[in-house]
Amino acid sequence: MFDPVIAPSGTLLGLLQRGRGDGTLHALTAPRAEALAALNHCVVRDPRHDWQVENRSLYYARLYLDLGGELDAIEAHLFDTEDILDTEETRTGLALAVLGHLASYGRRDALELLRRYAAEGSNWAWALDELALRDDDAGLRSLAAPVLARFPADPEGEAELAAAVRDAFEPRPWRLWADDPREWIATRVRAAQETGCFDRWQRQMNSSGPRPGWSVQAVFDWAQQGVERGTALHVPAARCLTAVAGPEDRPEILEAARTGTEGARATALRYLADSNDPDALDLVEQAVTTGPTPVVEAAVEAYERMRSVAAVERARRWAHRPDPLGAAAGRMLACRGGAQDKDLVLGALREAVRGEGPDAPTLWTLVDGAGRLGIGCAAPVLRHIYRETASSHLRGRAARALAATDPSFPAGFAVECLWDCEETTREVAARHAETGDTRVVDRLRRLAADPAEEDEVQTAVRSRFGSEMPPV
């Protein structure tokens, strides 16, 4: 999947792509055709950089309801000929999740689209998972025959069926079909369930990982084999060293951290950092200076896991370095520094935005640190990140930091956050938004009454108004 093209933050499309609360508010006041066009664009061209952690489906589904939107664009997207050519679930996953929420709100057309796609579409398993949560038994039973028809009645087809049953996110349809009165359906599904259980047991028994009795060198060799196969194994290898290594092995591990192969060096650095070895910090610095990129990344990651006072003190020395270790030092101080480190954290935050933009991965930790340390001077930078980032998770972190640093937050961004796509951001808004704005009170009432809303958000709403909410 290619990185999505995100429109400017001041446009309706850009706001909706980011999942900002202002996107909904602007869409509800824009011409309906324009709002629906932007909404359909977002749903059929997933704007998320990380679709596995960022939420959009409930946000878009609610807007479809508010606009009374038709589902023609979603239908055309799902049943386009591209569905045969591009079977990646990222192409249709967002649209199917939106349909799932709409079905839970009682949209019959959404339920029928999900049933049809489960029977005919390439990403049928996702549609079936959505239906497992929303459809009745009769609806699910009607899909048994078309789903099973996808798997030929030969050894290869039965193996694929067993894998589909084993890996299903929602088991309800398969359990229902295992008791189907049509014997040919029930027999195939039960056989697939039994095969899937056996496959799990067999994979556990045939593990090719470390064995009891391995030496330190054997662990290093295993880590290097992973490098040669293109699979980083230094993290599990470091855990193995914890069980294998004794005090007498420390010289060998130190030498591997200095001059070992890529896999051995990364493993040794991780092990030494996790055990707070007195030489770990010097070896991390040496690795960042002399090691290849994978070793540098492993060394920085190992350092950031350290919890010692010495690691924080070293961060104060390293924070001005113009390299990955300097950036890691800024993040270390953001997580574990004290009030005396505010200027260093603020400097790291500003430098990251200037150098890498509002979507830099390092900002997640730095933004949290600005809020934790209550750095009031960081508010302008945090507001910029809030507006411009394409990551709804980073925007939520910026909102939490602003709640701790910006006196204008309750009457400003907190209001629009009540419509945000992320439930954690809506929770922050429910706790902080000023209720003098009538939109805030009305929105809190709706969130409290919406069965699709997360429990944490509704708890935050009740904390503002008590358990007895006025009627919607």
Side-chain angles (χ1 to χ4, degrees):
M1 180 179 178
F2 296 104
D3 284 339
V5 177
I6 304 299
S9 61
T11 64
L12 175 59
L13 177 59
L15 290 170
L16 291 179
Q17 286 177 317
R18 289 168 173 80
R20 278 183 56 181
D22 256 5
T24 294
L25 297 174
H26 279 64
L28 294 177
T29 59
R32 182 173 178 273
E34 178 186 344
L36 283 174
L39 176 58
N40 288 330
H41 183 284
C42 292
V43 174
V44 303
R45 297 176 181 84
D46 193 339
R48 296 170 295 180
H49 284 282
D50 190 343
W51 65 274
Q52 293 179 307
V53 300
E54 291 189 52
N55 296 312
R56 292 292 189 281
S57 55
L58 180 59
Y59 172 83
Y60 294 142
R62 283 171 167 168
L63 190 50
Y64 270 112
L65 291 176
D66 290 339
L67 294 172
E70 302 83 6
L71 304 181
D72 296 352
I74 295 181
E75 181 178 10
H77 173 66
L78 292 178
F79 296 100
D80 190 273
T81 54
E82 189 179 358
D83 192 58
I84 301 173
L85 304 174
D86 183 0
T87 59
E88 290 293 324
E89 60 184 7
T90 51
R91 193 189 83 83
T92 54
L94 177 59
L96 294 171
V98 169
L99 290 178
H101 283 299
L102 288 173
S104 69
Y105 280 118
R107 287 282 296 260
R108 186 73 185 181
D109 52 348
L111 184 67
E112 295 295 342
L113 266 182
L114 281 173
R115 287 176 178 171
R116 181 182 162 203
Y117 189 82
E120 303 174 17
S122 295
N123 193 11
W124 61 271
W126 191 313
L128 188 61
D129 285 338
E130 296 291 340
L131 289 167
L133 299 174
R134 280 110 181 172
D135 209 351
D136 55 27
D137 287 355
L140 291 175
R141 284 197 182 96
S142 70
L143 293 171
V147 168
L148 291 182
R150 296 175 177 275
F151 305 95
D154 56 29
E156 183 177 350
E158 298 300 343
E160 292 175 355
L161 175 59
V165 175
R166 181 193 67 215
D167 299 335
F169 191 75
E170 293 291 342
R172 181 184 163 219
W174 301 102
R175 291 174 180 168
L176 193 65
W177 298 343
D179 296 326
D180 196 282
R182 292 164 290 183
E183 189 60 30
W184 67 275
I185 289 177
T187 300
R188 284 195 78 187
V189 173
R190 283 197 295 265
Q193 289 173 329
E194 292 172 1
T195 301
C197 292
F198 178 77
D199 287 346
R200 290 192 191 94
W201 174 82
Q202 194 172 44
R203 284 189 306 197
Q204 292 169 352
M205 295 298 292
N206 294 337
S207 171
S208 60
R211 295 284 194 276
W214 272 27
S215 65
V216 167
Q217 186 58 51
V219 174
F220 288 151
D221 292 341
W222 180 62
Q224 184 59 27
Q225 290 167 13
V227 171
E228 293 166 0
R229 296 196 306 267
T231 304
L233 295 175
H234 63 277
V235 174
R239 290 198 295 267
C240 291
L241 277 188
T242 302
V244 168
E248 69 280 4
D249 297 306
R250 183 172 179 269
E252 181 181 359
I253 297 172
L254 291 175
E255 185 59 29
R258 294 188 189 97
T259 62
T261 62
E262 182 179 310
R265 198 171 181 185
T267 299
L269 288 166
R270 178 73 169 227
Y271 168 81
L272 293 169
D274 284 354
S275 57
N276 281 321
D277 188 279
D279 288 333
L281 291 168
D282 290 336
L283 290 169
V284 163
E285 186 172 17
Q286 178 185 342
V288 170
T289 303
T290 64
T293 299
V295 172
V296 172
E297 293 173 351
V300 168
E301 182 182 352
Y303 167 65
E304 288 192 68
R305 289 171 51 85
M306 298 182 74
R307 302 291 189 271
S308 64
V309 173
V312 175
E313 291 175 348
R314 193 68 66 98
R316 294 179 180 125
R317 288 169 43 189
W318 288 342
H320 300 291
R321 291 177 59 125
D323 63 6
L325 191 54
R331 294 191 294 271
M332 172 70 76
L333 295 175
C335 290
R336 299 179 185 90
Q340 70 270 35
D341 302 309
K342 287 183 177 182
D343 289 343
L344 290 175
V345 174
L346 178 59
L349 179 66
R350 288 171 171 166
E351 183 60 31
V353 173
R354 280 196 298 264
E356 302 178 60
D359 291 311
T362 191
L363 288 175
W364 291 49
T365 305
L366 295 173
V367 164
D368 285 349
R372 183 181 73 84
L373 296 172
I375 306 176
C377 294
V381 183
L382 294 172
R383 287 194 290 266
H384 172 75
I385 295 169
Y386 178 96
R387 291 189 188 95
E388 299 300 328
T389 182
S391 167
S392 54
H393 271 216
L394 178 55
R395 182 176 65 252
R397 289 171 180 257
R400 287 192 291 276
L402 285 167
T405 60
D406 186 1
S408 70
F409 178 73
F413 285 140
V415 175
E416 75 154 280
C417 285
L418 289 169
W419 284 265
D420 198 88
C421 66
E422 296 291 343
E423 66 268 15
T424 52
T425 308
R426 296 195 297 274
E427 180 185 353
V428 171
R431 296 189 185 282
H432 292 278
E434 286 189 358
T435 56
D437 188 328
T438 56
R439 295 178 303 168
V440 171
V441 177
D442 290 343
R443 182 61 175 172
L444 290 174
R445 288 171 174 166
R446 288 193 63 179
L447 294 177
D450 191 337
E453 188 52 78
E454 296 293 330
D455 291 342
E456 291 80 2
V457 178
Q458 295 187 330
T459 298
V461 172
R462 287 193 293 270
S463 73
R464 296 292 300 278
F465 292 101
S467 58
E468 294 295 328
M469 285 292 298
V472 179

